[in-house]
Amino acid sequence: MKTLVSILGLAGTAALMAALYLNAPSAGPVEAREDAADGCRMMEVAVDEGYGVTLTTLRPVCAKH
């Protein structure tokens, strides 16, 4: 009897997982968009950390008005 309940529980769990997997929304490709309306662009900027260590990071650089 225990074996039957265990097998039915396992089959039910597998069916539930399959149903959830098949009905899950797909994320699709992700795109980054820049809002050009405010005049700012993302640019690589050198950041000096001291001790001869220079890193680059992306920061918004806005046009002067």
Side-chain angles (χ1 to χ4, degrees), residues 4-64:
L4 178 63
V5 171
S6 296
I7 291 173
L8 289 176
L10 183 62
T13 302
L16 179 64
M17 294 296 287
L20 290 174
Y21 177 75
L22 293 174
N23 289 329
S26 63
V30 178
E31 294 181 15
R33 296 184 185 183
E34 292 183 18
D35 200 8
D38 59 357
C40 297
R41 297 182 304 151
M42 296 298 286
M43 295 183 65
E44 283 191 8
V45 178
V47 179
D48 187 10
E49 295 290 329
Y51 305 106
V53 178
T54 303
L55 304 172
T56 58
T57 184
L58 287 175
R59 290 196 179 159
V61 176
C62 301
K64 294 182 181 180

